[in-house]
Each structure stands twice: as C-alpha cells, then as structure tokens.
C-alpha cells in the first residue's frame, strides 16, 4: 500500500506540475505528453477492473465495479485529457468535426489507450490460475448477437459522452459511468 501511495503521488506530481510552481515554457511537449499518460492510466485501470471483475464466475457486482472505475477515472483525468479512455470515444469526438481533437492527436490518444489496455491485460491474465481464459460469446449467444449488442451500447456510450461533455459540466462522469450499468 505504501508503494501504491508513493507511486500515485509521483504520477500526480508529474501530471500536475503547476501544483508545484513549475511553469511550462511556451510550446513545451509536456502538456500533450501528460494527456497521453492520463489516457494510458485511465484506460489501464478501466480495463484492469473489467478483466478482474469478469474473471470471477457469477460476479453480479461486475457492472458496478466497472461503472465505478470508469466514473472515477474520468473524474481524475478529464481535466488533463478529456477522459476519453476508449478508442471509440476518441473517434466519436474526432468525427463530430468540432475541432475538439485533431486526426494526429486522436491517433496518439488511441495508441495510448490501446497500450494502457494491453498493459492491463498482461496484469489481469497473470492473475488467472493458468494465465489464460476463454474469450467468446457466453453460452446461448452468437457472435452476431454479441457484435450487435456491443455496437448498440458503444453507440450509447459515445452519444452520452458527446452530449454530457458538451452540456453538463457537473455530473458528466456519473452519467458516463452509468452507461456501463445500462449495458
């Protein structure tokens, strides 16, 4: 626990230099790098929570754990990066053509999110008894049903993110997290 607290303090200090009187020179790459680090961290903990929650058979609290992880990570990194934490969300922001994110920045965000997700996958697969687990539709589901359901709820997630990030500055993290409970 002490290591976790110390690591969190070091990352916080790195991501919030202004809190420590450090003024970034004009044109410094650090603010963009901080966005990518924030996206990596947020996506890492979201995917880690998903992985660890679904590894437990009949975990009826998985949706609450995942929704909570998404919500708290959005609140903790949104002021730095926008808190996309999902390549689909980044694509949605880019596709709105509101100059929220450029194609170059979106590509870097997606690379950071995928890297965070893969790092989390390494961690949670190392926690399984045999280092692996089956991926595929649950019994009684077809791949078509899984893909369609994923598509509908990805639409819901992206639409809610676009709407609440534009029009609701208070409870946006809660609304986005609750999309996970709905799906």
């Amino acid at each position: 626990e002490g290591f976790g607290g110390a690591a969190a303090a070091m990352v916080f200090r790195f991501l919030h230099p202004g809190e420590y009187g450090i003024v970034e020179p004009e044109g410094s790459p650090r603010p963009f790098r901080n966005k990518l680090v924030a996206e990596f961290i947020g996506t890492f903990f979201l995917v880690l929570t998903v992985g660890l929650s679904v590894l437990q058979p009949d975990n009826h609290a998985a949706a609450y754990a995942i929704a909570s992880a998404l919500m708290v990570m959005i609140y903790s990194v949104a002021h730095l990066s926008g808190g996309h934490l999902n390549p689909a969300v980044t694509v949605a922001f880019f596709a709105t053509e509101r100059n929220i994110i450029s194609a170059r920045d979106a590509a870097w965000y997606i690379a950071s999110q995928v890297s965070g997700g893969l790092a989390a996958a390494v961690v949670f697969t190392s926690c399984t008894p045999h280092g692996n687990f089956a991926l595929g539709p649950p019994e009684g589901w077809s791949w078509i049903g899984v893909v369609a359901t994923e598509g509908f709820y990805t639409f819901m997630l992206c639409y809610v993110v676009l709407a609440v990030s534009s029009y609701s500055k208070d409870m946006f993290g809660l609304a986005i997290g609750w999309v996970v409970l709905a799906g």
Side-chain angles (χ1 to χ4, degrees):
E1 291 176 352
F3 174 76
M10 289 179 0
V11 171
F12 180 86
R13 186 177 180 110
F14 175 80
L15 292 176
H16 301 87
E19 294 277 328
Y20 301 93
I22 299 170
V23 178
E24 295 295 327
E26 190 69 32
S28 169
R30 185 176 182 139
F32 186 67
R33 185 175 59 229
N34 287 2
K35 290 178 180 186
L36 299 179
V37 171
E39 287 293 310
F40 179 94
I41 291 169
T43 306
F44 174 86
F45 281 104
L46 173 60
V47 173
L48 181 66
T49 303
V50 170
L52 293 175
S53 295
V54 300
L55 288 177
Q56 301 172 35
D58 299 321
N59 183 359
H60 301 294
Y64 291 101
I66 297 164
S68 297
L70 178 58
M71 178 184 66
V72 299
M73 293 317 299
I74 287 171
Y75 279 125
S76 69
V77 302
H79 66 287
L80 295 167
S81 66
H84 299 188
L85 312 185
N86 183 323
V89 172
T90 299
V91 168
F93 274 116
F94 175 71
T96 61
E97 298 180 347
R98 298 185 296 165
N99 295 322
I100 293 171
I101 191 166
S102 69
R104 176 190 161 277
D105 290 358
W108 279 106
Y109 267 48
I110 291 168
S112 183
Q113 294 156 357
V114 169
S115 298
L118 290 173
V122 168
V123 172
F124 73 73
T125 56
S126 69
C127 295
T128 63
H130 304 291
N132 60 21
F133 52 93
L135 290 177
E139 190 174 323
W141 281 75
S142 68
W143 275 106
I144 293 171
V146 169
V147 170
T149 302
E150 183 70 21
F152 291 133
Y153 283 104
T154 299
F155 168 88
M156 182 182 183
L157 171 68
C158 292
Y159 186 80
V160 169
V161 169
L162 292 171
V164 300
S165 67
S166 298
Y167 304 109
S168 174
K169 300 301 180 192
D170 296 326
M171 302 300 249
F172 62 94
L174 184 61
I176 295 166
W178 277 68
V179 169
V180 174
L181 289 177

